[in-house]
Amino acid sequence: MSMFSTVKAVLSGFVGIRSSKETERANLKPGQVIVTGLVLALLIALGIFTLVRLLVSSQG
């Protein structure tokens, strides 16, 4: 499975829109999904943190 497919599957899982047909069809390796999920969660958290810091610093 390509990295793009794994990222797509993890992101759709984050927002809860992954269909059961796609789940059955996909050959996802658990380790690959865990690592991708952790990396994406970290990137989302850092993005929110950076956005908040930018908004707070522009108010001051």
Side-chain angles (χ1 to χ4, degrees):
M1 173 160 265
S2 72
M3 184 54 102
F4 177 73
S5 298
T6 305
V7 170
K8 181 180 169 186
V10 170
L11 286 175
S12 64
F14 275 176
V15 295
I17 58 171
R18 190 153 183 224
S19 70
S20 60
K21 288 181 185 178
E22 185 179 334
T23 302
E24 293 172 3
R25 198 172 2 137
N27 288 333
L28 298 174
K29 296 179 182 176
Q32 198 175 23
V33 173
I34 291 169
V35 169
T36 304
L38 290 173
V39 169
L40 289 176
L42 180 65
L43 289 174
I44 291 170
L46 286 174
I48 292 171
F49 179 75
T50 303
L51 179 65
V52 169
R53 287 193 53 116
L54 286 171
L55 291 174
V56 169
S57 67
S58 68
Q59 297 294 322

